[in-house]
Amino acid sequence: MEVTEEIFTKLKDLQEVLVEKYQIEAKKSEAPKQLSSQEELLAVLKKEYIAKNNEYDSIKEKVLKIKFDLEQAVKSRESGEQGMDNITTHREYEALEKQVNEAKALESDLRKELQKEEKILTELKENLKISEDMISGQENELAEGKASLDKQINEYEEKLKELKEKEDSITPGLSDEILFKFERIIQRNTEGIVSVKDEVCNGCNMILPSQFVNLVREGNSINFCPYCSRILYYEESENDTAENHYFTEDIGSLVDLSDDLEDYDDDEKDYDLDDDEDLSNVEDQDEDAEDSDDSDDSDED
C-alpha cells in the first residue's frame, strides 16, 4: 500500500511537470510560425515591387519612344512649314501641305499619348516609393520579430531545462513502462492520473465495474481506466461505508451463495414435477371409478 501511495504521489507531481513541459514545447514549436506570416508578406511585397518596377521600366521605354517620335513629327512639320516659302508649283504646295498636316496630326496624337503614359509613369513611380517604404518597414519588423523570437526561444529552453531537472528528480522508482504510458496519456489528455469516486472515473466520467473499483480502492497495483486509459486512484466519498464495498476476498462466498440459490431453485423445480405426477395419478383413479359406476348401472337395466 505504501509503495503504491508513493507512486501515486510521484505521478501527480510528475503530471504537473509534464503538462507544463508539453505546453512550453508546443509554444516553442509554434513560435517560428508567427514569423512565417511576416516572411510571406515580405515575399509578396517584394514580388509585387518587382512586377511594378518591370512595368515602370516598360512604360519608361515607351515614353522615351513617344518623345522621339514626337520630336521627329515636330521636325517634319517645321520642315514643311519652312518649305512653303520656297515652293514654285501647285504640286509642290500640295505635297508640303500634306506633309505639314500629317505631321501636325501625328504630333497631336503623340502629345496625347505622351501625356497619358507620363501620368501612368508618375503613378507607378509613386507606387514604387510606397512599396519600397512598406518593404523597408516589413524588413525592420521581421528583424525585430526574429530578435524577439530568439529571446523567447532562449526563455523556453531555460524553462524546459528547469522542468527536466524536476522530472529527473521525480522519475526514479517509476518503471519505464509506466512512464511511457503516462507520458502518452498526458500528451493526449493533459491528465494522466485521476481519481475514482462513487465508481465513476473523473477523467472520462464513465461508470466503472464494481469489482474493478474494488481493485483500485485496495491500491495494491497500478490500474488504468478501461475507457480513457488514465491511471486511477481511489477517492473516498460521503457515500462510502464499509458495508457498501465487496472486496475480492469476499467474492468466493458470494459465488457460493449464488450456487446455493441455484441448487435451491432446481430442487424446487423437481418438487413441482413430482407434485404434477401425483396429481395425474389421482385424476386417473377418479376416471376409473366413474367407469365402474357406469358399468353397474348398465347391469341393473
Side-chain angles (χ1 to χ4, degrees), residues 22-266:
Y22 295 144
Q23 288 176 346
I24 292 176
E25 286 178 344
K27 290 179 180 179
K28 182 182 174 182
S29 176
E30 291 291 326
K33 295 180 181 179
Q34 299 174 2
L35 294 181
S36 65
S37 59
Q38 295 179 342
E39 290 173 340
E40 290 174 1
L41 176 59
L42 180 60
V44 170
L45 290 175
K46 287 184 176 181
K47 185 177 180 180
E48 291 177 350
Y49 178 83
I50 292 173
K52 289 177 182 178
N53 193 62
N54 290 337
E55 185 180 2
Y56 177 83
D57 291 340
S58 177
I59 298 296
K60 188 175 181 180
E61 290 180 3
K62 189 175 182 180
V63 166
L64 291 175
K65 185 177 184 307
I66 292 173
K67 286 182 177 180
F68 176 79
D69 292 341
L70 178 60
E71 184 179 352
Q72 295 301 316
V74 170
K75 286 181 179 181
S76 178
R77 175 181 58 78
E78 290 177 347
S79 174
E81 289 175 344
Q82 291 174 359
M84 286 288 187
D85 297 332
N86 300 320
I87 58 174
T88 57
T89 65
H90 182 70
R91 178 175 293 182
E92 290 178 349
Y93 176 81
E94 288 180 346
L96 285 175
E97 185 181 27
K98 181 180 180 182
Q99 175 184 335
V100 170
N101 291 335
E102 288 178 351
K104 284 182 178 180
L106 180 59
E107 181 182 352
S108 177
D109 291 340
L110 289 172
R111 289 186 184 282
K112 291 178 181 179
E113 186 177 2
L114 179 62
Q115 185 179 9
K116 175 184 175 182
E117 296 301 328
E118 283 182 334
K119 182 179 179 181
I120 295 174
L121 193 66
T122 300
E123 291 176 352
L124 283 173
K125 188 174 182 179
E126 292 175 354
N127 289 335
L128 284 172
K129 181 63 172 65
I130 294 173
S131 295
E132 288 173 357
D133 293 340
M134 290 179 66
I135 290 172
S136 177
Q138 188 63 26
E139 287 176 337
N140 292 335
E141 186 177 343
L142 185 59
E144 293 175 359
K146 287 182 177 179
S148 176
L149 176 62
D150 291 340
K151 181 180 178 182
Q152 193 176 44
I153 293 295
N154 290 333
E155 291 176 355
Y156 287 153
E157 290 177 348
E158 288 295 323
K159 186 62 179 177
L160 287 172
K161 185 178 178 181
E162 294 177 7
L163 292 171
K164 184 66 171 63
E165 293 175 356
K166 288 183 180 180
E167 183 179 349
D168 292 341
S169 68
I170 296 172
T171 53
L174 297 174
S175 69
D176 293 339
E177 182 181 0
I178 292 295
L179 283 174
F180 176 76
K181 292 180 179 179
F182 191 64
E183 290 172 354
R184 291 283 298 275
I185 295 168
I186 291 179
Q187 285 175 343
R188 296 194 306 267
N189 303 308
T190 70
E191 282 186 312
I193 180 169
V194 295
S195 66
V196 174
K197 190 173 182 181
D198 291 330
E199 298 190 351
V200 175
C201 170
N202 285 328
C204 59
N205 297 319
M206 295 294 290
I207 298 175
L208 303 172
S210 298
Q211 184 177 350
F212 178 73
V213 172
N214 288 334
L215 292 175
V216 176
R217 188 172 188 268
E218 289 170 2
N220 294 323
S221 61
I222 300 298
N223 295 283
F224 295 85
C225 175
Y227 301 107
C228 66
S229 300
R230 292 178 173 92
I231 294 176
L232 302 174
Y233 66 92
Y234 194 81
E235 182 180 359
E236 298 287 344
S237 67
E238 296 178 356
N239 297 327
D240 282 332
T241 58
E243 56 272 16
N244 286 338
H245 296 280
Y246 298 104
F247 297 96
T248 53
E249 58 266 23
D250 298 329
I251 293 175
S253 62
L254 292 176
V255 172
D256 294 339
L257 176 58
S258 176
D259 292 339
D260 291 341
L261 290 174
E262 290 178 359
D263 293 340
Y264 176 76
D265 290 339
D266 291 338

